[in-house]
């Protein structure tokens, strides 16, 4: 994989600066060596991450598997602490040395977990880029944003300083930062949250990555800005043919934008399907509970929520069997055995002995209703 | 009296010495806590630390008289320097000095009787600690002829000659220069007729001098440049000498360093013949020492010989009176001196029903060490001792407050009547004395106004016996600091012994030379 | 050296994280806290050695030795580390000196903690003119060359343990106060402060029950790091003829009198310096470890 | 600015903007002005405190100068000559009046103008402090970076040991040891004395190396410890570090370009606070190396109760402390963009 | 202002006097520039008026920085607002002395967003819940202990298990329960919940929201419920207030407002919510509101929303719209509210929006109030 590329994005400066973005065919600018169509760009298999902290083992990720096709968007959703961030950082080799990682992660045919720190370093930002949750903290407060982007550009291209700066301005325009030339010379704190997140995206795009991981990229923003950013991401993804992993705990957000969804619980994938398939027919009780707990506009004032009792499990002392068992109303003794994560319905994977729903598109009641 | 040829071969501790050589530079270190501080400048009349700046004064002004001694420190005598001769009247009430002819200050003006008179009058009017305590008669200073000047006293004053080397009247500054420069500038760059002239003077830090080409003594001084440098203690000074940044250090008193230096082949150590022994002053005015038994207990509990052996490696003598081996009128034994006797001490303490003493001193290495040792010894006799060392001001405060009990001090001088003499510690009505005894006052007064040396000796011996009989103050170690010099440096007082004037020896800088 | 504020890295996160608290595996936690226990053990050792050692080893008195036994080399009979020029047992002086040095360090830091902490907390919490007044006064103290102040105070009052503590407190109080103030300013914005106010909690309760326990860890950690500095400054005072008066020992004045003849009697400096080193190291390690734990790293 | 004086000169700038408001519009300038104004009460406080503290010290210059042998009459006379018989408050205001007009008075002991004494001695101390400061800082940065690169690694442990050692050795002992090694044994550097800059840069520097090392080494240790801790914090806790790593920036570059930049602010604060201590260190060190600086002068002045000189020295030291903190604030303002633009 | 007065007769509140009456609240914060030099002023809350009745929940929504928290803190007088009137149970808190304020605060408690930050990390759960009882000198030690147990039971925490724990031994949801227990300890009339569930996981959030509802029903509590999740606010509120840049854009009954928003900003907010229908599983793709929120230090003239408003006219820049009741109990501060059809609006002169250069992403003509993005 050539991580250094001199070619920029197609000359689109003129159009971009006017803000009109012409959608292009996905992957047009991709080198021919890219994974052939149909072959997944990223295959995560039985990924496990364990931390040792204070002498105790924290099983942050416990056998996570999914695939990602080039140019598509995958959403990973789950509660706080379910291992979303850890699993995605594991892909990028950004975990602290205390983390023990096992399983396999194949990116474009290469096993990422076997790479040296040096190889990983050239991969980071070049082939895989990442955008983080809190744009206020994720940018270096003492560096001009232009410099931060330029730095990323120079790491992944042969451009000289001037060229890299020009490229950085281009990127700022690409992410539709108003008055890009002026902003280039500003510091992060002079920008609003939404603008900062755009800068983060511009940095991520600097290496023309084939995979962009957006770790709760919009959680810190309010709804209107969130919509702006998501729109931008989707558009860039389609135009540039990037694959995107979008991490969120907002089911609605995932449903609105992603092609595929992985639902995580206690470090495991518990349900995995194309968005349409999944929401048409939720099978996993946990996903079902999530759906029942989100407020909806069409509910009456003062109506109650479906309540799932209990707390997320302690990752250093996971319950035996299905981790959701203690909170699940469908649970039986069978759940003391770990349900396998398999493709029960076509394209629809889940791990449950007692799934809800019957494939009719309407899920039957589980637990208390209203 | 008369002039000295000066160039007498001075044998230091470093073996045979060749002929003096001309030229070279010398850096002399002085302890910042004593001689290394001259905050008020170097005008002899106004230098309030003049008593400790004798070295600088000699180098700049030369001196009317100088104390000299044989190389081993014996046969000490005051000799004329800029003074050609002197004459004391029979009754001891007048003293006439004849100056050498042709001496010029470095500004070219003559050092004559008028100049001397002007200097003396200024000196006596000012508050220098080195101001002489002359019993001067009205109009006591008279210029007889351009080179002769006489002093008249109200009483016989035989100590007049001995008082010169330690006091500011010995240093004659150019009155013309003083007038031209003004006092404030003069004290920074004083003009004298000494062997060296001032190049630069940073008060209490560095004094740079260079050879005075018109010095009245032919061929002197030997050195081209002489620098006095203030330094913060014996250890840095010793190291500086080792490193070769300086060639001499006056006033080393840290015993371990002294011993180390003695073992160092590159170093000459000259321990000066002591003139002032340590004395434990007891305040006889208040309890507990208004009781002679308490005082005797202290005498009996004190074993200075042990201290000398233990702390000072037996380097010094132990006195029984206020004179020391280097000074005048020294006698090793004082009749009836109450010697160390622990059992007697214990007995006395028991008799008294216990004894509690507060023993003070001025903060300095040797004094504190002696006090610590004394505390131990006294405690052995059952005396309860707290020791306390204070800065100078604290000591003064204690004395003037009158509430002190015991105080470790030094007593005496080369001549007991001159300088910080014995009267200072033992006369009635003096704030720094703990004794109120008319008989002793009388003895001391008589001694100081007697011309005949043998008679004086006898009177002082009587005074010492009186002190011992009344247990006024046990005497001890006759301590004197040592001078340190790098190999190849020679000079009277530096590598030969001369009894210290006040604390340090009066080095005669004209005659200091370096092997090239 | 002066006491300066450490990095303002500090958070409210508790000593142990959630999961750790639940797990409570004794042995494992013990091992994880080795970083704390080793220096704590070193400190305990120093304390025991200094405060009980002289009795346990039935050492001779640290003062009042016979001058006839002065300057004995190490391992002489009865004097493991030899004697000093006054004939006192060096080991005994070392241990007794540790008592005074540790007392001073403790007292100075405690004074700083209590007085400085209270002043700073008050200043930060009350704000307004009280804050301005306190901070201006402290600014003056900070701008004032502390050595001069200490020298002056020590000279004015004379050398003694109490006066040394008093003089050194001028170093520590402003530093603690500033630290406490900045911590309180940060805490003041925490919702729990507003919540307490809503709950009708009285100002004194706010100060002592809400703020104090939260700033205490940071101040204590800071104090740990300051222990060594205080011992050394006490030595500097001794160097200048103040500090603990002779013949009573302290590490500071042992070093200070030892250095007077350093080249001839190096061991007089080496022993107290070593003791100081071990103590400073232990307190620094402990302080840093506690800081790391309390800041939830 | 001249525009207001001569109205006929065409004013190109917006006439409504007065020069003053233009001045105050710059946050940095406003900061300077504000801090300078704040310095006034601090300096006043310092002078009052000095006067008060000095008045507590027993004895005065007259007594001290004349020594234990002086008669009370002599002392009283000298006191009168020196003006020490006046009440403290009067003396303070006399002094203040002079100081405000730039006249720091004359030494009680030598009668030299204090300004003259200071001008002779300030360069020595300034150079000493400057060198100590620069050396400690210049060394601390790379060592801290090395240590922070692998926390718990070999370099980290070595630097930890060295710095603990440095923090537990008294600086006067260190000074003597340095002389023993470098001047006495090796003979590389002079043991004492000051060579003015005019006598050659190298000669001057040679003499300053050991004293500035004696002052600078403990500081170096302190800075190293501090910076290392802060760097590790930044590396482990700050999200922008992760961002940089995610960009593909190498670990050294992250440490130097990103973390260090942010850690430098904490370091600057410490340095500013420490400058006072730095100067305090000169008192003892100048004594040992026989350097004719302010510290040496201060100690002597305290001993002779030359309070006019002490007062001046204290004012100088305090001024340096205040200015140092002003500089720190300015450095923040210049280096930290969050402050520079005044919108935090 | 007057609009509110006029409205009071009529709708469901009837002639009841409000529990809380806020009028023309203004809160500003000076911002510090470099090194503590005074900079500008943040207009955090500008002229906001509203009422809350007993047993009623008023929801407040708005984007971040719009002044929701400041409004909440102004109500409880921590800190006191700059000007305006806060009348609580007939007492004017703005003029109340220490004593009166303390008395009123008994009836007025707050639950904060940050479940850990609002509990002193060094206290035990029992002490935390007991704090208001101690602060207001209620009962003796043993009666307070009993009350604490009751309260913990009420919020669903087993006292025997949790009373001795410290906050860090609790999960976020449990912390929030403790905070709620503390808030209801004095049986207040009003609870101000500032994003009280925003930081919680969905499943836990549902638990806590249900707890709020249960308490409301059982204790007849009123809530000032602040959140940025419009759907959630709707589900818990009787009435909803929409804030934009320190001002009320719209206030009205929850149902009505969501069915027919009157303010273009409310409409944009509703369109920005990504959502999936829990029943059908159908996703709704949000539509973004263009532009960046202006700075509260220097808010736009006239209508503060005009810089991002697709309907903005010259008038919007010149004249600040007042809250006007356009539907029963439903007020809006807009010159051209959405119940006026686009066609009825005056023709738009060029440059009327006076907006900074719009985000280029929005080049399409403002034909629709909320343009649909085609991808
Ligand atoms: N460096 C680490 N050391 C120890 N444990 C860690 C570390 N990083 C993460 N964990 C633990 O791993 C688990 C999974 O964390 P992760 O950040 O992946 O959750 P998440 O799903 O991203 O949650 P959120 O929605 O809160 O971001 C958590 O319990 C967390 O405490
Ligand atoms: N103490 C303060 N000092 C200065 N400015 C403040 C202060 N408190 C709030 N502000 C400012 O006032 C404005 C309103 O803040 P507020 O916290 O009320 O908004 P919010 O609607 O609660 O936002 P969020 O949804 O982020 O909680 C913001 O611009 C904020 O920066
Ligand atoms: Mg996460
Ligand atoms: Mg808020
Ligand atoms: Ni305004």
């Amino acid at each position: 994989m050539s991580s250094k590329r001199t070619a920029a994005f197609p000359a689109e400066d003129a159009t971009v600066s006017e803000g009109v973005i012409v959608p292009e065919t996905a992957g047009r600018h991709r080198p021919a060596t890219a994974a052939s169509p149909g072959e997944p760009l990223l295959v995560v298999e039985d990924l496990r991450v364990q931390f040792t902290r204070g002498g105790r083992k924290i099983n942050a990720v416990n056998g996570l598997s999914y695939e990602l096709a080039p140019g598509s968007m995958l959403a990973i959703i789950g509660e706080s602490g379910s291992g979303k961030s850890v699993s995605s950082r594991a892909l990028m080799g950004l975990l602290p040395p205390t983390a023990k990682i096992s399983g396999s992660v194949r990116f474009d045919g290469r096993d990422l977990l076997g790479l040296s720190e040096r190889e990983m370093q050239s991969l980071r930002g070049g082939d895989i880029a990442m955008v983080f949750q809190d744009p206020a903290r994720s940018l270096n407060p003492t560096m001009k944003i232009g410099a931060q982007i330029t730095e990323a550009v120079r790491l992944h291209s042969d451009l000289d300083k001037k060229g890299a700066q020009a490229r950085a301005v281009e990127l700022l325009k690409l992410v539709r930062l108003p008055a890009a030339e002026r902003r280039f010379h500003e510091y992060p704190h002079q920008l609003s949250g939404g603008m900062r997140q755009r800068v983060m995206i511009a940095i991520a795009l600097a290496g023309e990555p084939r995979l962009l991981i957006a770790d709760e990229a919009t959680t810190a923003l309010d709804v209107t800005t969130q919509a702006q950013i998501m729109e931008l991401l989707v558009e860039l993804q389609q135009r540039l043919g990037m694959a995107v992993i979008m991490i969120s705990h907002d089911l609605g957000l995932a449903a609105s934008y992603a092609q595929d969804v992985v639902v995580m619980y206690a470090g495991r994938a518990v349900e995995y399907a194309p968005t349409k398939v999944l929401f048409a027919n939720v099978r996993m009780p946990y996903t079902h509970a999530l759906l029942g707990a989100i407020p909806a506009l069409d509910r009456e004032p003062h109506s109650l929520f479906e309540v799932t009792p209990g707390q997320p499990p302690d990752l250093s002392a996971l319950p035996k069997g299905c981790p959701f068992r203690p909170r699940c109303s469908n649970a039986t003794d069978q759940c003391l055995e770990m349900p396998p994560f398999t493709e029960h319905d076509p394209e629809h994977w889940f791990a449950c002995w007692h799934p809800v729903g019957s494939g009719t598109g309407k899920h039957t009641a589980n637990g208390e209703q209203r | 009296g008369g002039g000295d040829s000066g160039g007498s071969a001075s044998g230091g501790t470093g073996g045979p010495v060749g002929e003096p050589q001309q030229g070279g530079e010398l850096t002399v270190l002085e302890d910042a806590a004593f001689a290394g501080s001259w905050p008020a400048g170097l005008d002899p009349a106004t230098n309030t630390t003049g008593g400790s700046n004798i070295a600088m004064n000699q180098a700049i002004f030369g001196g009317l008289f100088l104390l000299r001694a044989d190389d081993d420190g014996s046969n000490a005598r005051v000799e004329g320097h800029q003074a050609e001769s002197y004459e004391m009247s029979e009754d001891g009430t007048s003293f006439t000095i004849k100056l050498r002819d042709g001496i010029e200050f470095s500004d070219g003006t003559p050092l004559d009787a008028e100049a001397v008179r002007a200097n003396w009058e200024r000196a006596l009017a000012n508050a220098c600690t080195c101001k002489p305590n002359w019993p001067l008669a009205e109009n006591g200073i008279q210029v007889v002829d351009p080179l002769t000047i006489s002093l008249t006293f109200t009483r016989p004053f035989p100590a007049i000659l001995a008082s010169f080397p330690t006091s500011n009247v010995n240093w004659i500054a150019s009155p013309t220069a003083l007038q031209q420069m003004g006092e404030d500038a003069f004290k920074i760059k004083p003009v004298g007729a000494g062997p060296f002239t001032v190049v630069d003077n940073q008060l209490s830090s560095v004094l740079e001098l260079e050879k005075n080409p018109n010095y009245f003594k032919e061929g002197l001084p030997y050195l081209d440049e002489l620098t006095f440098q203030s330094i913060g203690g014996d250890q840095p000074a010793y190291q500086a000498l080792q490193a070769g940044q300086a060639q001499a250090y006056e006033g080393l008193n840290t015993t371990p360093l002294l011993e180390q230096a003695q073992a160092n082949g590159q170093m000459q150590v000259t321990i000066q013949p002591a003139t002032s022994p340590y004395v434990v002053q007891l305040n006889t005015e208040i309890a507990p020492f208004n009781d002679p038994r308490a005082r005797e207990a202290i005498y009996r509990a004190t074993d200075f010989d042990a201290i000398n052996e233990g702390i000072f490696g037996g380097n010094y003598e132990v006195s029984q009176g206020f004179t020391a081996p280097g000074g005048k009128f020294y006698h090793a034994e004082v009749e009836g001196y109450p010697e160390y006797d622990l059992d007697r001490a214990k007995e006395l303490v028991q008799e008294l029903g216990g004894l509690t003493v507060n023993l003070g001193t001025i903060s300095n290495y040797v004094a504190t060490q002696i006090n610590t040792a004394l505390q131990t010894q006294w405690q052995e006799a059952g005396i309860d001792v707290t020791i306390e060392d204070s800065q100078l001001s604290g000591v003064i405060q204690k004395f003037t407050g009158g509430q002190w009990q015991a105080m470790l001090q030094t007593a005496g001088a080369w001549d007991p009547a001159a300088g910080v003499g014995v009267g200072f510690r033992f006369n009635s009505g003096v704030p720094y004395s703990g004794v109120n005894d008319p008989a002793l006052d009388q003895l001391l007064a008589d001694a100081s106004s007697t011309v005949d040396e043998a008679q004086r000796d006898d009177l002082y011996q009587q005074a010492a016996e009186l002190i011992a009989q009344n247990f006024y103050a046990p005497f001890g170690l006759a301590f004197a600091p040592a001078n340190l010099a790098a190999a190849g440096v020679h000079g009277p007082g530096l590598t030969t012994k001369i009894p210290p004037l006040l604390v340090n020896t009066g080095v005669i800088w004209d005659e200091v030379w370096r092997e090239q | 050296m002066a006491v300066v504020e450490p990095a303002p890295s500090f958070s409210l996160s508790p000593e142990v994280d959630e999961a750790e608290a639940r797990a409570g595996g004794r042995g494992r936690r013990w091992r994880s806290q080795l970083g704390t226990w080793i220096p704590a053990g070193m400190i305990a050792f120093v304390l025991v050695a200094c405060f009980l050692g002289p009795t346990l080893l039935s050492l001779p008195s640290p003062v009042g030795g016979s001058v006839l036994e002065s300057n004995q080399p190490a391992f002489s009979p009865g004097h493991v580390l030899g004697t000093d020029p006054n004939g006192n047992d060096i080991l005994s002086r070392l241990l007794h000196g540790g008592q005074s040095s540790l007392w001073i360090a403790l007292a100075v830091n405690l004074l700083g903690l209590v007085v400085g902490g209270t002043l700073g907390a008050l200043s930060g919490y009350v704000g307004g003119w009280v804050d301005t007044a306190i901070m201006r006064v402290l600014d003056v103290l900070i701008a004032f060359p502390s050595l001069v102040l200490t020298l002056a105070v020590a000279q004015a009052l004379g050398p003694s343990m109490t006066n040394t503590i008093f003089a050194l407190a001028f170093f520590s109080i402003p530093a603690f106060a500033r630290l406490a103030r900045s911590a309180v300013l940060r805490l003041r914005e925490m919702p729990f402060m507003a919540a307490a106010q809503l709950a009708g909690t009285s100002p004194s309760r706010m100060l002592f029950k809400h703020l104090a326990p939260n700033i205490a860890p940071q101040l204590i950690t800071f104090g740990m790091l300051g222990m060594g500095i205080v011992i050394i400054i006490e030595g500097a005072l001794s160097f200048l003829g103040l500090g603990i008066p002779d013949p009573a020992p302290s590490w500071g004045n042992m070093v200070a009198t030892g250095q007077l003849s350093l080249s001839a009697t190096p061991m007089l400096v080496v022993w107290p310096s070593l003791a100081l080193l071990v103590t400073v190291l232990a307190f620094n390690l402990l302080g840093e470890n506690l800081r790391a734990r309390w800041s939830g790293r | 600015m001249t525009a207001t004086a001569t109205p006929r000169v065409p004013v190109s700038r917006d006439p409504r903007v007065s020069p003053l408001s233009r001045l105050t519009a710059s946050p940095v300038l406003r900061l300077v002005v504000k801090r300078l104004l704040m310095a006034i009460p601090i300096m006043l406080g310092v002078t009052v405190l000095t006067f008060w503290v000095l008045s507590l010290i027993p004895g005065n210059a007259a007594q001290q100068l004349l020594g234990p042998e002086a008669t009370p009459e002599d002392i009283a006379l000298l006191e009168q000559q020196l003006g020490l018989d006046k009440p403290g408050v009067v003396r303070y205001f006399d002094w203040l009046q002079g100081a405000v007009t730039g006249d720091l008075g004359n030494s009680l002991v030598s009668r030299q103008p204090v300004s003259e004494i200071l001008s002779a001695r300030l360069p020595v101390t300034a150079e000493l402090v400057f060198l100590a400061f620069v050396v400690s800082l210049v060394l601390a940065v790379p060592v801290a970076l090395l240590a922070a690169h692998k926390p718990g690694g070999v370099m980290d442990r070595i630097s930890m040991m060295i710095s603990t050692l440095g923090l537990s050795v008294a600086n006067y002992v260190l000074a003597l040891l340095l002389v023993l090694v470098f001047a006495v044994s090796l003979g590389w550097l002079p043991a004492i004395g000051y060579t003015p800059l005019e006598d050659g840069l190298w000669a001057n520097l040679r003499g300053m190396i050991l004293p500035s090392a004696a002052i600078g080494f403990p500081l170096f240790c302190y800075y190293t410890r501090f910076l290392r801790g802060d760097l590790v914090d930044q590396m482990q806790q700050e999200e922008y570090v992760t961002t940089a790593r995610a960009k593909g920036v190498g670990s050294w570059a992250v440490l130097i370009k990103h973390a260090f930049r942010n850690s430098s602010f904490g370091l600057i604060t410490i340095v500013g606070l420490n400058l006072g201590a730095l100067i305090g260190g000169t008192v003892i060190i100048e004594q040992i190396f026989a350097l004719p600086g302010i510290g040496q002068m201060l100690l002597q002045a305290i001993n002779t109760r030359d309070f006019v000189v002490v007062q001046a020295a204290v004012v100088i030291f305090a001024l340096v402390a205040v200015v140092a903190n002003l500089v720190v604030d300015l450095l923040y303002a210049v280096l930290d963009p969050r402050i520079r633009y005044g919108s935090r | 202002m007057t609009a509110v007065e006029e409205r009071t007769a009529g709708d469901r509140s009837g002639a009841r006097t409000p529990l809380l009456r806020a009028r023309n609240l203004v809160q500003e914060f000076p911002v510090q520039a470099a090194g503590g030099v005074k900079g500008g002023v943040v207009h955090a809350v500008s002229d906001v008026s509203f009422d809350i009745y007993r047993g009623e929940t008023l929801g407040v929504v708005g984007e971040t920085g719009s002044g929701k928290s400041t409004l909440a803190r102004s109500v409880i007088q921590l800190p006191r607002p700059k000007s305006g009137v806060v009348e609580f149970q007939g007492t004017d808190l703005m003029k109340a002395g220490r004593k009166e304020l303390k008395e009123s605060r008994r009836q007025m408690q707050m639950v904060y967003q940050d479940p850990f930050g609002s509990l002193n990390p060094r206290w035990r759960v029992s002490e935390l819940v007991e704090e208001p009882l101690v602060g207001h000198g209620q009962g003796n030690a043993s009666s307070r202990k009993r009350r604490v147990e009751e309260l913990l039971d009420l919020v669903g925490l087993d006292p025997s298990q949790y009373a001795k724990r410290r906050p860090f031994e609790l999960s976020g949801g449990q912390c929030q329960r403790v905070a709620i227990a503390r808030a209801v300890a004095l049986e207040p009339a009003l609870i101000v919940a500032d994003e009280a569930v925003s930081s919680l996981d969905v499943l836990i959030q549902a638990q806590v929201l249900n707890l709020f509802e249960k308490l409301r029903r059982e204790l007849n509590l009123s809530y000032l419920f602040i959140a940025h999740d419009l759907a959630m606010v709707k589900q818990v509120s009787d009435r909803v207030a929409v804030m934009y840049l320190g001002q009320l854009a719209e206030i009205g009954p929850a149902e009505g407002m969501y069915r027919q928003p009157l303010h273009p900003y409310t409409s944009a907010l509703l369109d920005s919510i990504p959502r999936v229908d829990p029943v059908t599983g159908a996703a709704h793709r949000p539509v973004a509101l263009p532009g960046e929120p202006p700075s509260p230090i220097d808010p736009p003239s006239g209508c503060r929303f005009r810089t991002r408003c697709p309907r903005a006219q010259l008038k919007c820049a010149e004249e600040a719209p007042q809250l006007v009741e356009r539907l029963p109990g439903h007020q809006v501060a807009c010159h051209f509210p959405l119940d006026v059809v686009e066609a009825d609006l005056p023709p738009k002169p060029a440059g009327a929006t006076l907006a900074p250069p719009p985000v280029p992403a929005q080049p399409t003509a403002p034909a629709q109030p909320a343009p649909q993005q085609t991808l």
Side-chain angles (χ1 to χ4, degrees), chain A residues 219-354:
Chain A
T219 308
L221 308 173
D222 50 76
V223 271
T224 54
T225 319
Q226 167 171 301
Q228 285 179 0
I229 296 290
M230 283 316 296
E231 230 167 55
L232 174 71
L233 263 186
V234 167
E235 198 189 286
L236 288 170
Q237 178 222 354
Q238 295 185 343
R239 237 187 65 188
L240 309 177
M242 295 182 296
V244 173
I245 295 178
M246 171 193 140
I247 296 173
S248 172
H249 50 236
D250 186 340
L251 268 180
L253 196 68
S256 306
Y257 295 100
Q259 278 98 54
D260 302 282
V261 176
V262 178
V263 181
M264 285 188 76
Y265 188 74
R268 295 187 81 200
V270 290
E271 192 160 13
Y272 171 40
T275 316
K276 289 202 184 73
V277 176
L278 179 80
F279 288 108
N281 187 8
V282 169
R283 303 301 308 278
M284 179 66 198
Y286 172 65
T287 318
H288 178 85
L290 280 183
L291 275 174
I294 14 177
L297 282 175
D298 52 7
R299 295 225 181 119
E300 292 290 311
H302 299 307
S303 55
L304 293 174
F305 293 85
E306 285 178 31
V307 164
T308 310
Q311 302 287 336
D314 175 2
L315 292 177
S316 61
L318 284 172
K320 197 167 146 47
C322 174
F324 190 57
R325 176 180 53 83
R327 305 171 79 182
C328 181
S329 54
N330 288 7
T332 63
D333 280 353
Q334 193 186 7
C335 301
L336 283 171
E337 197 180 312
M338 183 69 92
F341 183 62
T342 46
E343 191 167 6
H344 290 277
D345 302 334
E347 293 197 296
H348 195 157
W349 297 57
F350 56 90
C352 185
W353 297 119
H354 308 292

Side-chain angles (χ1 to χ4, degrees), chain B residues 198-304:
Chain B
V198 181
V199 176
D200 190 36
N201 176 16
Q202 193 151 37
L203 297 189
S204 302
S205 285
V206 202
L207 173 68
E208 280 178 45
L209 306 173
E210 65 181 12
K211 181 175 185 157
N212 176 4
N214 298 324
Y215 190 50
F216 74 94
K217 281 197 161 177
E218 208 51 44
L220 292 181
Y222 296 122
L223 293 170
D224 289 338
E225 278 176 39
L226 178 64
T227 304
F228 290 98
Q229 168 95 57
S230 171
I231 196 161
D234 291 357
Q235 176 69 35
Y238 180 63
Q239 290 185 347
L241 249 68
Q242 277 186 303
Q245 256 85 55
Q247 292 75 39
Y249 176 57
E250 286 195 88
L252 176 79
N253 54 29
T254 309
T255 317
L257 284 179
L258 190 121
E259 284 167 359
Q260 199 181 24
Q262 280 171 329
N264 185 337
Q266 293 304 304
M267 224 54 96
Q268 309 177 61
V269 183
T270 315
I271 299 178
Q272 298 304 334
T275 52
S276 8
Y278 273 101
V279 59
V280 182
Q281 283 191 273
L282 302 175
N283 190 350
T284 59
E285 305 280 332
I286 62 168
F289 295 121
N290 51 7
D291 184 338
R293 288 174 302 168
R295 304 203 292 268
E296 185 183 351
I298 294 295
Y299 267 87
R300 299 295 185 190
T302 304
D303 182 2
F304 266 115

